[in-house]
Amino acid sequence: MNDEYGCDPEVPLRPVSRISVVYNLKKNAGAGEPDDKYEEYDPLSTVESVAETIASFGFSVSLCEQDENFFPRLRDQAPDFVANLAEGRGDARGREAQVPCILESESIPFWGSDAVSMAVALDKLLTGRTLSSEGIPVPLSSSFRGEEDLPVLPELFRQRFRYVVKPRYEGSSKGIFTDSVAHSPREAEDRIRRIWHRYGQPALLEEYLPGAEVTVGVTGNGRPAIAGMMRISPVHPREEFLYSLEEKRNYLERIRYDGPETIPAPLREQLGRFAAAAFRALELRDMARVDFRLDGDGIPRIIDVNPLPGLSPQYSDLPILHRLSGGSYPDLVRSILASAFRRNGLAFSALPVEADAL
């Protein structure tokens, strides 16, 4: 079997009947924890939406939370396949690789990227270096681990006059606030120290890109397909816009999502090409969301790659952009599942999906 492109056509496909959905359940932050501590985790409504959609294809589906009872629960369920939504436990930068590592060790096929790609993609500095080495445009960025790194700030501000300060390995806009743009070395140092104190990890200083923000969905494997794209804009335009934690939490009032028809065709082609190139460069599998900002010259630069995008049918970017591009939620889940089945040499005989079902 070819792990990336699919199975040998002469090998019989293995049947699947039992699928487990593995996840981390969102909870309230404890005393002394940042209020966005569990921002990446899923509410039960999202887990149930994924599970119910997979069940509608004719599979027997179980829920399997990654908690202290994860191992015995997984072995008791004995799934033929896992739909992995789990972000991982703890704060380490390899946390998104935890469940893939376990599933690999147990020889359980699953959807999504493997442990190595998950770990690299969560680290924004390593992601940027990987993409840049492949000629894919990314912003200028620099990592700040401790006091010894701060003296370089004046030199960086001679190269660019404003930067976004963010955690180096977080998702869901954790650590990105409306005041995360720094205009001077002093402001940058204040925001860097906030990241150190709040998240206990290096801060990333990334040049602020003034153009539009666009996110692109990618599905598939050897020849990844563009699942859709959308432009993300503030309802009330302002000079410096960040798709920050506050904006995401209040997206209904603050954010406007515009479909691909609002993006000029040449730019759509460029965005799709760069997104697919990033997917291949990081050796991702089955699904991803690639976030762009346009620089001052209108060139799209990748600011984040998420191989474990949210799948809430209500508020997650990937389902929204897929819907704005003419797809439905069941279509999206089915395409991810079918891609992973092909890659693992599994038989997929799902029930037909209604085009307008959500």
Side-chain angles (χ1 to χ4, degrees), residues 50 53-54 57 111 311 328-338:
V50 173
T53 302
I54 294 174
F57 303 150
W111 77 15
L311 289 176
S328 71
Y329 185 73
D331 284 339
L332 175 63
V333 174
R334 188 185 192 282
S335 69
I336 296 168
L337 198 62

Side-chain angles (χ1 to χ4, degrees), residues 335-353:
S335 69
I336 296 168
L337 198 62
S339 173
F341 273 37
R342 285 193 299 271
R343 176 171 53 77
N344 286 285
L346 305 175
F348 187 82
S349 55
L351 299 173
V353 178

Side-chain angles (χ1 to χ4, degrees), residues 25-44:
L25 195 62
K26 183 172 284 188
K27 56 185 178 180
N28 294 326
E33 293 180 329
D35 67 343
D36 57 354
K37 171 76 173 179
Y38 304 104
E39 198 73 24
E40 294 177 293
Y41 289 4
D42 287 305
L44 187 59

Side-chain angles (χ1 to χ4, degrees), residues 116-132:
V116 175
S117 293
M118 285 287 198
V120 172
L122 186 59
D123 188 322
K124 293 176 172 60
L125 183 69
L126 298 186
T127 296
R129 287 174 175 172
T130 301
L131 300 183
S132 181

Side-chain angles (χ1 to χ4, degrees), residues 3-4 81-86 94-104 108-122 218-221 224 278-290 305-309 336 339-340 343-344:
D3 188 55
E4 181 180 3
F81 183 87
V82 163
N84 176 38
L85 309 179
R95 61 188 180 274
E96 289 187 356
Q98 291 170 5
V99 167
C101 276
I102 293 167
L103 297 176
E104 289 166 357
I108 301 173
F110 58 97
W111 77 15
S113 297
D114 71 355
V116 175
S117 293
M118 285 287 198
V120 172
L122 186 59
V218 184
T219 58
N221 284 293
F279 192 92
R280 290 190 295 266
L282 292 167
E283 300 185 1
L284 305 184
R285 305 189 313 201
D286 304 326
M287 61 177 156
R289 199 194 69 244
V290 184
V305 179
N306 188 347
L308 194 62
I336 296 168
S339 173
R343 176 171 53 77
N344 286 285

